[in-house]
Amino acid sequence: MKKTISLFLILTLLTGALAVSALADGKTFGTLSYLNMTEEDSTLYASVRMPMLKFLILHGVLTSADDKPSGDVPSVYRYYDSLDALLMALQAGELGAIRVPSYTARYLCSMDAGLKMLHEYHPENATGAAELALNLLSDGYSFMMQEKNTELRDAFDAQITAMKEDGTLQKLIDEHIVKASEGGEPTAVAFEKYEGDPIKVAVTGSLPPMDYVAPDGSFAGFNTAVLAEIGKRLQKNIELVQVDSIGRALALSEGTVDVVFWTRGPSDSLAGLIREKGEISNEDREALRAERRETMTSEEKAILDEGKTPDQETIAKLRVRDMPAGTIITQPYFTDFQVQVTLK
């Protein structure tokens, strides 16, 4: 369900996000590697998350089955280049938990009775400050190309927009993400054939049910289904090329592929507002923060007061996480929220 949120509400929470430090409890969490963020950057981002997580907990967007606080921030983040490596480190006791998109978490827990989610995710409860927090914390999944390929990016963008408007994208989400997250192997997808050179797209298979390669080497999952639909609408051949997650940027820069999957950037709502409004000054953000306080409860004000205004450099870095220099991305075709999975 989509909701419209004001620019000043979005920027208000950005101003209150940075001051909270990571919990010094010795926890080490794992996550999939970002293309242009270090492990230290990711640990900083974890501390940025904490005030926003408190908004989500306050409004019941995140709940814990054992009534303990959800969304603890780790002392250390470690990067892993594949989901298999993440799970092996968790099973070996090297990690307290792993962070993965919520539908991937549901899929993993449905397939392995020894795993559990540390908190339940209820996006339908997101209103007001919690809706803002959810948009800021969520990852938008896009297709990435070399910056010279603006024509290809625009062609993909046009089809993503059309698929949103005619309901096709939501049908693919329901079939290949929502249903698939309940368990079972993601559905294989067939591609139609057309005349002309193919558009080559890198697939990692590292994020079921979004990005998945079956044991027999066939391609399946939501991303594959979205690409098949885009290829049909553009009347273009789509050729999938399996690469390691860490090799995506190199494959793109060397021209081995034209497009890369699941680049994580701003959520759908936030990306639209960034395109529409652009940047504003620190002074303007402070003014908007003061304006937003007038509509907040005392509990929400206390959470907001934990933080201070982030600098432009930090905001810019978080907006382009997972994007190396010299690349461009489409608008997001899917948005998800990362949750924590641990051993039972």
Side-chain angles (χ1 to χ4, degrees), residues 137-304:
L137 289 178
S138 297
D139 281 326
Y141 292 86
S142 305
F143 297 109
M144 183 170 71
M145 298 124 182
Q146 293 186 40
E147 60 184 357
K148 65 182 180 182
N149 286 339
T150 55
E151 184 176 350
L152 181 60
R153 188 272 313 275
D154 293 346
F156 270 54
D157 258 343
Q159 299 311 318
I160 292 170
T161 296
M163 290 163 65
K164 289 177 179 178
E165 292 176 348
D166 66 20
T168 299
L169 191 58
Q170 187 58 53
K171 289 179 181 177
L172 295 178
I173 290 170
D174 291 341
E175 178 180 354
H176 293 279
I177 292 183
V178 178
K179 186 185 296 184
S181 68
E182 299 171 357
E185 186 170 304
T187 305
V189 177
F191 287 81
E192 297 185 20
K193 297 296 183 181
Y194 302 97
E195 297 293 331
D197 294 333
I199 301 171
K200 296 182 179 181
V201 184
V203 182
T204 68
S206 291
L207 211 66
M210 289 186 63
D211 188 353
Y212 182 78
V213 178
D216 64 2
S218 60
F219 298 101
F222 172 67
N223 285 345
T224 303
V226 171
L227 275 175
E229 181 67 23
I230 290 175
K232 182 172 68 174
R233 291 173 181 237
L234 293 176
Q235 300 285 287
K236 294 283 189 180
N237 287 318
I238 302 292
E239 180 181 332
L240 302 183
V241 181
Q242 187 172 4
V243 299
D244 292 335
S245 179
I246 198 171
R248 292 175 296 150
L250 181 61
L252 186 64
S253 65
E254 291 185 341
T256 305
V257 297
D258 305 301
V259 180
V260 169
F261 263 155
W262 68 272
T263 299
R264 296 165 287 182
S267 67
D268 199 352
S269 298
L270 187 56
L273 285 169
I274 290 171
R275 288 195 301 270
E276 178 184 350
K277 301 295 185 181
E279 302 292 342
I280 68 168
S281 67
N282 286 337
E283 292 76 15
D284 287 339
R285 288 205 309 277
E286 285 287 8
L288 293 170
R289 172 190 171 107
E291 180 181 353
R292 178 57 189 139
R293 280 182 59 87
E294 299 301 317
T295 68
M296 299 179 77
T297 67
S298 58
E299 288 179 291
E300 290 172 338
K301 289 178 182 178
I303 294 172
L304 187 64

Side-chain angles (χ1 to χ4, degrees), residues 48-66:
V48 171
R49 290 170 53 89
M50 196 56 177
M52 303 184 220
L53 287 171
K54 288 184 177 181
F55 278 106
L56 300 185
I57 296 166
L58 179 66
H59 288 263
V61 180
L62 291 180
T63 60
S64 178
D66 57 9

Side-chain angles (χ1 to χ4, degrees), residues 15-75:
T15 64
L18 280 185
V20 179
S21 62
L23 299 179
D25 57 7
K27 288 184 179 178
T28 300
F29 286 6
T31 188
L32 290 171
S33 301
Y34 285 87
L35 292 178
N36 64 338
M37 288 181 69
T38 67
E39 292 178 346
E40 290 75 18
D41 290 333
S42 197
T43 300
L44 170 63
Y45 181 46
S47 68
V48 171
R49 290 170 53 89
M50 196 56 177
M52 303 184 220
L53 287 171
K54 288 184 177 181
F55 278 106
L56 300 185
I57 296 166
L58 179 66
H59 288 263
V61 180
L62 291 180
T63 60
S64 178
D66 57 9
D67 296 324
K68 293 180 181 178
S70 324
D72 287 348
V73 177
S75 300

